């Protein structure tokens, strides 16, 4: 099977579009181009693919709206430009998706949101819920509250983090070059396109060393880093020219355009490894024999009804150990409730959670996607 088949089969994708493309090299939002991407994304959604868009361009659009011809150096001016430009950006995405009777949603995130376990779970639940409702999340960095990202202009990394977050099959990065070349094509006209590699291939570092375009900030280095990050949760990355005619649809048809960067291992194995290696446990839940059985044999989620006891102090999103009644550890996972909440709902059926807590954030104590058996 050709590796391109993975792109054809993907059911959940993150599509990241850089500033240079979206703003027509700084001449304001390129609405016709954006409309063409939306048409292709709408086709994907009709086929049953879930899509999250990561859209840069707020600073560039803000600069146009404010009449600035040069990217400001002061961070607070960049932040101000981003705040102004974000309005135009989401309005345009929304208007274009409305043509297809689709709702879009603005989601502003920071890298910190995705490293804090509680916010990670919250962001994940919100994005998943939007996707369940058939809404297209339009993600950008929350530039008002952070400065690092805006300085490095690194929405490539954000794209990869979002791909990890929603367990996407793949990340498609649309940029102003046809893909990753063996050297920077702006400086070397004879540079050749790389069609397919393992994301971890060290040769790629040398190829991607050439810096960014005038509007984008990260260049190919951040795209390569993003591909490696996405690969950690088993997702492939395609870096492809957003100006190529029908780029997204052609990728979907398996055409060998752009650069495909492949993970070393599959999605489930990668995620389980990440869960197993990255997190220390903060507490312990004792589960009954029935729960042990469905976890171990059925690969199912842990529901509150199977929990007999809760030990330790932990917050939502932290890693806890699941032990059987003899104290033997059977699994670990990211818990959906903090320790007090977990104690209150332990042993109860999921439809009683609202009666006990006054709200329900998740039916599961630990979702199977966030759990590894030990
Ligand atoms: N090996 C390479 N192959 C392709 N492009 C490269 C390479 N090395 C550096 N680049 C530069 O990276 C730029 C794309 O990155 P960037 O400007 O950050 O775009 P975006 O806004 O899409 O994130 C290209 O215009 C190109 O000049
Ligand atoms: N979040 C900011 C900066 C992001 C940025 O420049 O990213 P990119 O063009 O993808 O390298 C924006 O939307 O303008």
């Amino acid at each position: 099977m050709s590796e391109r088949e993975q792109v054809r089969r993907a059911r959940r994708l993150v599509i990241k579009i850089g500033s240079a493309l979206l703003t027509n090299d700084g001449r304001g939002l390129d609405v016709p181009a954006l409309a063409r991407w939306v048409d292709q994304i709408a086709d994907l959604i009709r086929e049953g693919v879930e899509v999250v868009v990561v859209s840069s361009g707020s600073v560039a659009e803000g600069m146009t709206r404010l009449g600035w011809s040069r990217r400001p150096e002061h961070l607070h001016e960049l932040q101000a430009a981003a705040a102004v430009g974000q309005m135009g950006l989401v309005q345009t995405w929304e208007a274009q998706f409305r043509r297809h009777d689709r709702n879009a949603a603005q989601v502003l995130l920071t890298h910190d949101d995705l490293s804090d376990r509680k916010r990670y779970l919250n962001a994940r639940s919100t994005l998943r819920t939007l996707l369940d409702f058939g809404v297209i999340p339009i993600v950008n960095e929350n530039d008002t509250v952070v400065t690092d990202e805006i300085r490095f202009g690194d929405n490539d990394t954000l794209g990869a983090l979002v791909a990890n977050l929603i367990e996407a099959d793949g990340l498609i990065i649309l940029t102003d070059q046809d893909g990753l070349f063996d050297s920077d094509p702006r400086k070397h006209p004879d540079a050749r396109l790389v069609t397919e590699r393992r994301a971890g291939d060290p040769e790629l570092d040398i190829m991607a060393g050439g810096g960014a375009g005038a509007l984008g900030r990260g260049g190919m280095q951040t795209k390569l880093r993003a591909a490696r990050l996405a690969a950690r949760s088993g997702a492939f990355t395609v870096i492809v020219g957003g100006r190529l005619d029908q780029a997204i649809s052609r990728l979907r048809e398996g055409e060998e355009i752009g650069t495909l960067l492949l993970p070393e291992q599959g999605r489930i194995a990668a995620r389980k490894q990440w869960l197993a290696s990255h997190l220390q446990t903060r507490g312990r839940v004792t589960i009954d024999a029935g729960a042990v059985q469905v976890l171990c044999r059925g690969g199912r989620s842990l529901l509150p009804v199977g929990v007999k006891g809760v030990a330790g102090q932990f917050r939502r999103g932290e890693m806890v150990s699941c032990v059987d009644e003899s104290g033997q550890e059977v699994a670990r996972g990211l818990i959906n409730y903090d320790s007090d909440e977990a104690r209150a709902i332990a042993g109860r059926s999921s439809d009683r959670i609202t009666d006990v807590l006054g709200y329900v954030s998740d039916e599961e104590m630990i979702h199977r996607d966030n759990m590894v058996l030990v």
Side-chain angles (χ1 to χ4, degrees):
M1 180 181 91
S2 152
E3 299 286 8
R4 293 279 169 165
E5 194 61 22
Q6 293 191 33
V7 187
R8 282 167 61 93
R9 290 189 183 178
R11 306 311 297 164
R12 198 179 287 157
L13 287 169
V14 175
I15 301 184
K16 183 260 167 179
I17 311 185
S19 310
L21 265 183
L22 267 164
T23 60
N24 206 0
D25 281 326
R27 287 187 288 273
L29 279 177
D30 187 345
V31 179
L34 200 142
R36 289 192 291 273
W37 296 316
V38 166
D39 292 345
Q40 295 170 68
I41 294 169
D43 284 345
L44 285 184
I45 294 170
R46 262 192 297 277
E47 286 172 32
V49 181
E50 293 178 326
V51 179
V52 173
V53 173
V54 174
S55 170
S56 310
S58 63
V59 172
E61 171 62 8
M63 282 166 55
T64 310
R65 291 189 167 205
L66 292 164
W68 299 348
S69 55
R70 282 190 44 229
R71 191 178 164 97
E73 276 163 17
H74 284 111
L75 285 176
H76 303 311
E77 288 172 7
L78 280 171
Q79 290 175 295
V84 173
Q86 183 66 22
M87 303 283 286
L89 201 57
V90 288
Q91 273 168 6
T92 311
W93 281 110
E94 158 158 76
Q96 293 305 322
F97 276 114
R98 294 296 322 149
R99 285 193 296 113
H100 293 274
D101 288 328
R102 292 272 168 200
N103 285 313
Q106 170 177 253
V107 177
L108 297 176
L109 291 173
T110 68
H111 293 193
D112 285 350
D113 294 331
L114 303 180
S115 55
D116 176 283
R117 304 247 64 83
K118 182 174 171 185
R119 293 199 217 165
Y120 170 94
L121 279 191
N122 290 341
R124 178 185 156 99
S125 306
T126 307
L127 285 173
R128 287 190 155 202
T129 308
L130 288 168
L131 292 172
D132 286 346
F133 285 129
V135 175
I136 300 97
I138 309 294
V139 180
N140 197 356
E141 289 153 333
N142 191 351
D143 290 319
T144 303
V145 295
V146 290
T147 50
D148 284 355
E149 283 90 343
I150 210 168
R151 200 169 340 167
F152 301 122
D154 191 5
N155 263 4
D156 298 319
T157 305
L158 187 67
L161 292 172
V162 171
N164 291 348
L165 185 73
I166 61 161
E167 285 155 58
D169 301 301
L171 167 66
I172 296 180
I173 299 182
L174 297 184
T175 185
D176 60 347
Q177 301 290 338
D178 287 352
L180 172 69
F181 286 77
D182 57 6
S183 62
D184 186 350
R186 279 182 204 268
K187 298 177 193 148
H188 305 274
D190 57 344
R192 278 175 314 174
L193 183 70
V194 177
T195 51
E196 193 178 302
R197 289 290 175 105
R198 294 273 145 203
D201 187 336
E203 269 188 25
L204 297 172
D205 293 288
I206 303 159
M207 300 178 183
L215 280 166
R217 305 291 286 170
M220 284 294 146
Q221 277 169 356
T222 50
K223 291 175 187 39
L224 179 58
R225 189 151 23 95
R228 288 176 177 162
L229 207 54
R232 278 208 239 158
S233 58
F236 65 79
T237 296
V238 186
I239 303 172
V240 68
R243 295 203 179 98
L244 292 176
D245 186 37
Q246 298 290 315
I248 301 171
S249 304
R250 283 160 66 193
L251 281 174
R252 190 66 185 163
E253 281 153 20
E255 204 178 312
E256 294 199 1
I257 52 172
T259 305
L260 174 62
L261 297 171
L262 294 158
E264 309 295 333
Q265 55 182 348
R267 208 156 60 77
I268 294 169
R271 177 153 179 89
K272 301 267 166 180
Q273 192 183 49
W274 175 80
L275 276 174
S277 65
H278 272 71
L279 301 160
Q280 291 178 323
T281 58
R282 301 277 177 210
R284 200 174 66 234
V285 293
T286 303
I287 62 177
D288 66 19
V292 172
Q293 207 163 21
V294 293
L295 257 55
C296 296
R297 300 231 184 95
R300 303 244 289 277
S301 300
L302 175 66
L303 301 177
V305 69
V307 175
K308 302 210 72 165
V310 175
Q313 289 295 323
F314 48 81
R315 295 187 305 146
R316 169 172 158 80
E318 289 189 321
M319 182 72 108
V320 299
S321 169
C322 305
V323 300
D324 67 16
E325 290 183 70
S326 71
Q328 178 80 26
E329 187 176 44
V330 288
R332 287 178 176 200
L334 305 180
I335 193 153
N336 283 331
Y337 290 92
D338 72 27
S339 39
D340 291 339
E341 293 168 330
R343 276 186 196 98
I345 60 174
R348 304 193 190 242
S349 73
S350 297
D351 53 18
R352 295 288 319 283
I353 298 176
T354 315
D355 297 342
V356 179
L357 298 179
Y359 54 86
V360 52
S361 58
D362 297 271
E363 281 174 15
E364 309 84 13
M365 192 75 105
I366 302 176
H367 193 276
R368 68 188 144 98
D369 291 347
N370 294 328
M371 186 155 42
V372 276
L373 296 176
V374 290

